[in-house]
Amino acid sequence: MGGGATHVIGAGMAGLSAATALVEQGRRVHVYESVGHAGGRCRSFHDDQLGCVIDNGNHLMLSGNRSIQDYIRRTGAQDHLVTAEHAAFPFMNVTTGERWTLDLGRGQGMWRLLMRRLGVPGVTRRDALSALRFRQASASATVFDQLGRTGAIYHRLWEPLSMAVLNTESESAMAAAMWPVIKETLGVGPDGCRPVIAKESLSHALVEPARGVLRKAGTDIRFNASLKAMDTRGDRITALRFNNQTIEIGSNDTVILALPIAGVNALMPAVQTPDDFRPIVNAHFRLPHKTHKLTLIGLICGEAHWIFHRGNIASVTVSAATSLINEPTQDIAERLWRDVSAVLQLNGGSPGACQMGPFRIIKEKRATFAQTPDQNRRRPTATTDFHNLFLAGDWIATGLPATIEGAVRSGMVAADLCHK
Ligand SMILES: Cc1cc2nc3c(=O)[nH]c(=O)nc-3n(C[C@H](O)[C@H](O)[C@H](O)COP(=O)(O)OP(=O)(O)OC[C@H]3O[C@@H](n4cnc5c(N)ncnc54)[C@H](O)[C@@H]3O)c2cc1C
């Protein structure tokens, strides 16, 4: 199909990944996006209440995420991200007040991890070998089935890690879905596990640089263009019908639908997709003081799961937040603020929470599909019944969980298929 143009629908991470990979290969690309901004579920905006730019949610990446690394390279975004020098993750048990740092050290090779004391109370070097249980898991085993009896390492590492990656409670989350992540991060050794965080904001790091590359290649994203229907003839897509225009698809052209699940359900009801979702709740609090360091802390036994502290904003993530999502925002803020106050010792170490200032609660009801064994079986591949139409998105069967790495890789897979 060489020589034609590719039409990418959806400017989330999957669409931006596909579009930037294609322009790098010298292909003509058109990008269409239904709303007025790019980034999809990975975006930033100015919040008047807090008086600064915030992300829709904290996004943590790891240095071993090779598709993200490739995306950062081709969009020239290196300076907009911070990669920690050490693979070190501070944690606190909010109930007992105990603190520790999961310290994986530095260097290459999984053996380095096995040689280290990981710094997690109650966890021995031998316990680290329980990572292999993810590889041995059957397609129907949950994280709890597979690792729930491994003791302290389950509560202090595998449960928080799998919740963060799979956005699904460990009693339902698919254990085998963790293995590709473990292999590409822990499997590389400490150097594959260093946290990667946007320096200023997600859009600044992951969206604007991609837009710059596209613009340079003569591709401007057409915003407020919502795909409503596709015309077909035989096994080809022949036209794309948007709310505001119709685009004819030439015989050498290809189309990539980089849409969320609901978008594909509306356009192609015959395609089987996951149909169960999990929410993520994020809370951003303005703090009385600024920090000069960007920090990340994991919480055990708290309402909050992770706190990112940047400038004078503390941002809290609660994954698989089914019990929180329908609560009033004021209640959510008060519950999460107690954890923030304790972890960041805002009351100077005295008991009780210090007074809460301005905040913003962001509820993402369909943050990802529920990454259970049943739902995972419903993920389609990137190819469709139409030879010039491909699918991308974090929910496509890439072998990776629904994360930025999964979305970016799916975009690269779809881009490659356009050449075959
Ligand atoms: C709060 C939150 C926290 C997260 N934390 C992390 C994290 O820490 N680490 C991590 O790796 N991942 C995290 N994720 C997951 C990550 O954000 C997603 O996996 C990724 O952004 C999905 O990208 P996507 O391109 O597949 O889909 P989307 O981002 O949903 O992009 C689809 C795009 O298509 C557009 N669109 C929809 N319908 C149409 C239409 N008809 N016509 C044209 N355009 C259309 C949408 O507006 C959107 O821009 C988090 C997600 C959330 C919500």
Side-chain angles (χ1 to χ4, degrees):
M1 282 178 227
T6 298
H7 301 265
V8 178
I9 326 299
M13 292 310 302
L16 292 174
S17 165
T20 52
L22 286 161
V23 299
E24 190 176 60
Q25 294 155 10
R27 198 167 168 98
R28 268 186 304 124
V29 179
H30 304 281
V31 184
Y32 311 83
E33 165 57 52
S34 61
V35 298
H37 56 80
R41 278 170 280 157
C42 184
R43 65 184 185 283
S44 320
F45 55 91
H46 188 272
D47 185 273
D48 293 340
Q49 175 87 352
L50 296 170
C52 61
V53 172
I54 55 170
D55 298 331
N56 68 317
N58 295 322
H59 279 66
L60 176 65
M61 298 161 276
L62 293 174
S63 47
N65 292 147
R66 59 186 163 83
S67 300
I68 294 179
Q69 294 298 340
D70 195 53
Y71 177 80
I72 292 170
R73 177 202 54 75
R74 67 177 180 271
T75 57
Q78 293 86 343
D79 292 346
H80 302 309
L81 291 135
V82 185
T83 303
E85 280 184 22
H86 271 82
F89 300 82
F91 275 91
M92 176 176 174
N93 179 325
V94 185
T95 307
T96 62
E98 190 182 12
R99 289 176 189 263
W100 65 92
T101 296
L102 166 68
D103 188 356
L104 304 175
R106 294 181 77 158
Q108 300 250 334
M110 198 173 182
W111 60 271
R112 283 185 189 271
L113 301 177
L114 300 175
M115 300 294 289
R116 278 186 78 80
R117 295 195 55 211
L118 300 175
V120 184
V123 171
T124 64
R125 282 182 201 147
R126 236 180 106 78
D127 290 333
L129 288 172
S130 60
L132 295 173
R133 293 194 187 199
F134 287 111
R135 186 173 72 174
Q136 294 149 357
S138 71
S140 58
T142 66
V143 171
F144 181 78
D145 293 338
Q146 199 67 9
L147 288 115
R149 282 164 211 87
T150 51
I153 196 165
Y154 173 71
H155 297 290
R156 295 179 171 208
L157 180 58
W158 301 134
E159 190 182 25
L161 183 67
S162 60
M163 277 276 267
V165 173
L166 303 177
N167 188 33
T168 305
E169 58 293 346
S170 53
E171 292 77 9
S172 317
M174 180 178 175
M178 283 297 288
W179 180 245
V181 180
I182 304 261
K183 197 169 70 178
E184 293 182 14
T185 55
L186 286 167
V188 169
D191 281 356
C193 305
R194 292 184 290 146
V196 179
I197 304 176
K199 206 180 264 179
E200 289 174 36
S201 72
L202 286 174
S203 293
H204 197 245
L206 296 176
V207 179
E208 291 313 319
R211 285 191 67 190
V213 166
L214 294 178
R215 231 179 273 123
K216 220 168 161 187
T219 301
D220 232 344
I221 300 175
R222 294 188 210 179
F223 289 109
N224 305 310
S226 178
L227 184 63
K228 297 294 182 194
M230 297 184 290
D231 292 354
T232 62
R233 193 177 314 124
D235 69 348
R236 276 194 59 233
I237 302 295
T238 54
L240 300 174
R241 295 187 180 276
F242 291 90
N243 54 324
N244 49 8
Q245 60 190 322
T246 296
I247 303 287
E248 302 297 329
I249 300 300
S251 56
N252 287 326
D253 290 355
T254 47
V255 177
I256 296 176
L257 294 187
L259 302 176
I261 290 173
V264 170
N265 291 157
L267 291 160
M268 306 178 76
V271 174
Q272 178 176 270
T273 64
D275 57 2
D276 189 15
F277 299 86
R278 289 291 183 273
I280 296 180
V281 168
N282 260 265
H284 301 270
F285 296 99
R286 194 161 81 207
L287 305 180
H289 306 293
K290 263 193 178 174
T291 174
H292 295 293
K293 256 175 66 190
L294 174 54
T295 48
L296 158 74
I297 305 169
L299 280 66
I300 307 286
C301 301
E303 194 98 52
H305 293 161
W306 295 91
I307 299 176
F308 286 53
H309 188 189
R310 181 194 276 121
N312 65 345
I313 299 290
S315 303
V316 175
T317 303
V318 187
S319 300
T322 313
S323 64
L324 218 52
I325 194 82
N326 294 319
E327 297 296 317
T329 54
Q330 182 71 30
D331 292 2
I332 296 175
E334 283 168 12
R335 283 159 69 173
L336 297 178
W337 177 248
R338 281 197 283 273
D339 288 351
V340 172
S341 201
V343 171
L344 301 181
Q345 295 181 303
L346 297 177
N347 228 7
S350 330
C354 88
Q355 197 171 355
M356 184 167 78
F359 66 86
R360 170 72 57 199
I361 302 293
I362 301 173
K363 298 176 174 182
E364 293 273 8
K365 285 201 169 171
R366 289 179 161 217
T368 66
F369 74 93
Q371 296 174 75
T372 64
D374 282 350
Q375 290 293 306
N376 210 58
R377 277 191 281 275
R378 297 178 65 87
R379 297 171 84 175
T381 61
T383 53
T384 68
D385 290 344
F386 302 96
H387 80 265
N388 62 347
L389 177 69
F390 306 104
L391 304 178
D394 64 353
W395 52 280
I396 300 299
T398 52
L400 293 172
T403 55
I404 301 180
E405 176 72 0
V408 168
R409 192 156 319 162
S410 78
M412 291 161 77
V413 168
D416 280 348
L417 287 167
C418 290
H419 290 294
K420 291 194 175 143

